[in-house]
């Protein structure tokens, strides 16, 4: 696995598809890579048209209080990224610089900046939905960079990557239907690009002992489905996920369905880098030489 991942990563970097930064999981993107991301993204937008979603874009950082309420720290403390800054005086600045010059840990001189890196594109959305939702619920299209501290050699496991999500907020049936509909749409969209895809029941990598119980529960209730395909890892890799959150966001952000119950939500997330990597892995590193049917779907 590691050898294959190293070889794939080296090829991607060698061809300028990705730009190495010296940190595992952190890359620049080349023009050809972005051309594929953008083409796939147009297909996602097209597939979402039936939902007539409200389009919103958030920065890749979000308020700390929102992060606290999503309960991310309980489930994924190890993936967290929190922003720090310097808030001292001249004297403290001198101490910071002395630490830096001495090769010490200058970050101990920083303080929390009140913002964290978004771990999922949909998280900044929920606090603006407090209150009653219209009948039939609402659909949103959010797209942005996410951060997860999971440095890996496998280029499909990045620390910073983009998720394009279509989110539903409303009643329980609507949330379930959204999730199921998007598994079908995802299979069609991604299978239509010549990827060998299948939908599987999955679980999030919840942290620790309590996390193992949460993961088992999530699986038992089939709350998370993934569309997977071979990339470079031994097993298949998730390139799209469809999650039923139930009232996980409805409760902390006081979101109500049209009838005044706690709102349920569901989101589908397309992993834009992973889809692009799956295409490069399946069809070859030169997109100009991809099968005509795939090219005409991506670039009609
Ligand atoms: P999740 O919120 O974990 O279900 O992630 C949604 C989608 O984002 C997944 O289906 C992947 O395609 C993508 N994704 C998750 N983690 C990573 C990562 N570390 N690097 C690249 N893509 C990721
Ligand atoms: Zn989401």
């Amino acid at each position: 696995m590691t050898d294959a991942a190293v070889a794939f990563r080296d090829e991607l970097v060698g061809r300028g598809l990705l730009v190495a930064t010296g940190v595992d999981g952190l890359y620049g993107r080349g023009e050809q890579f972005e051309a594929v991301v953008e083409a796939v993204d147009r297909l996602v937008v097209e597939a979402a048209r039936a939902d007539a979603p409200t389009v919103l874009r958030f920065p890749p950082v979000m308020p700390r209080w929102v992060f606290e309420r999503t309960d991310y720290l309980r489930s994924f403390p190890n993936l967290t990224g929190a922003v720090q800054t310097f808030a001292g005086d001249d004297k403290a600045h001198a101490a910071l610089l002395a630490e830096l010059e001495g090769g010490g840990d200058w970050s101990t001189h920083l303080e929390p900046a009140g913002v964290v890196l978004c771990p999922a594109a949909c998280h900044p959305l929920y606090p603006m939905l407090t209150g009653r939702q219209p009948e039939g619920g609402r659909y949103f299209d959010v797209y942005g960079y996410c951060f997860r501290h999971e440095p890996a050699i496998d280029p499909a496991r990045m620390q910073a990557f983009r998720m394009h999500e279509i989110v539903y907020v409303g009643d329980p049936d609507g949330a379930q239907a959204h999730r199921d509909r998007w598994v079908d749409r995802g299979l069609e969209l991604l299978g239509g690009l010549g990827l060998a895809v299948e939908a599987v029941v999955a679980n999030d990598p919840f942290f620790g002992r309590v996390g193992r119980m949460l993961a088992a529960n999530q699986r038992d209730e089939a709350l998370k489905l993934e569309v997977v395909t071979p990339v470079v890892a031994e097993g298949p890799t998730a390139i799209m996920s469809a999650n039923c959150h139930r009232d996980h966001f409805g409760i902390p952000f006081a979101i109500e369905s049209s009838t005044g119950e706690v709102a349920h939500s569901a989101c589908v997330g397309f992993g834009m880098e992973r889809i692009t990597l799956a295409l490069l892995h399946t069809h070859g590193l030169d997109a100009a030489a991809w099968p005509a049917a795939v090219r005409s779907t991506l670039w009609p």
Side-chain angles (χ1 to χ4, degrees), residues 33-52:
F33 190 92
E34 281 305 290
V36 178
V37 168
E38 281 169 22
V40 172
D41 200 58
R42 281 192 291 274
L43 300 178
V44 173
V45 169
E46 235 165 71
R49 209 159 276 151
D51 293 340

Side-chain angles (χ1 to χ4, degrees), residues 119-120 146 148 150 155-163 165 204-205 224-227 237-243 267-275 277:
C146 305
R148 293 180 187 178
E150 43 183 356
R157 185 165 298 282
M158 296 185 170
Q159 295 202 57
F161 58 93
R162 278 162 292 181
M163 230 188 258
E165 294 197 54
D204 286 310
K224 184 181 189 77
L225 298 180
E226 289 179 340
V227 170
T237 300
I239 52 175
M240 188 205 96
S241 310
N243 304 288
C267 70
V268 56
F270 287 84
M272 302 311 296
E273 281 77 11
R274 281 199 183 165
I275 295 169
L277 291 170

Side-chain angles (χ1 to χ4, degrees), residues 120-123 126 142 163 165 167 243 245 249 266-269:
C122 67
H123 287 192
Y126 304 108
V142 288
M163 230 188 258
E165 294 197 54
V167 186
N243 304 288
H245 313 132
F249 296 108
C267 70
V268 56

Side-chain angles (χ1 to χ4, degrees), residues 11 20 48 52 58 61 66 73 101 106 109 129 150 165 173 189 200 208 226 267 294:
E11 274 186 307
F58 292 96
V61 289
V66 175
L73 275 175
E101 276 148 30
W106 53 269
H109 297 258
L129 300 178
E150 43 183 356
E165 294 197 54
D173 290 349
L189 191 163
V200 297
E226 289 179 340
C267 70
V294 175

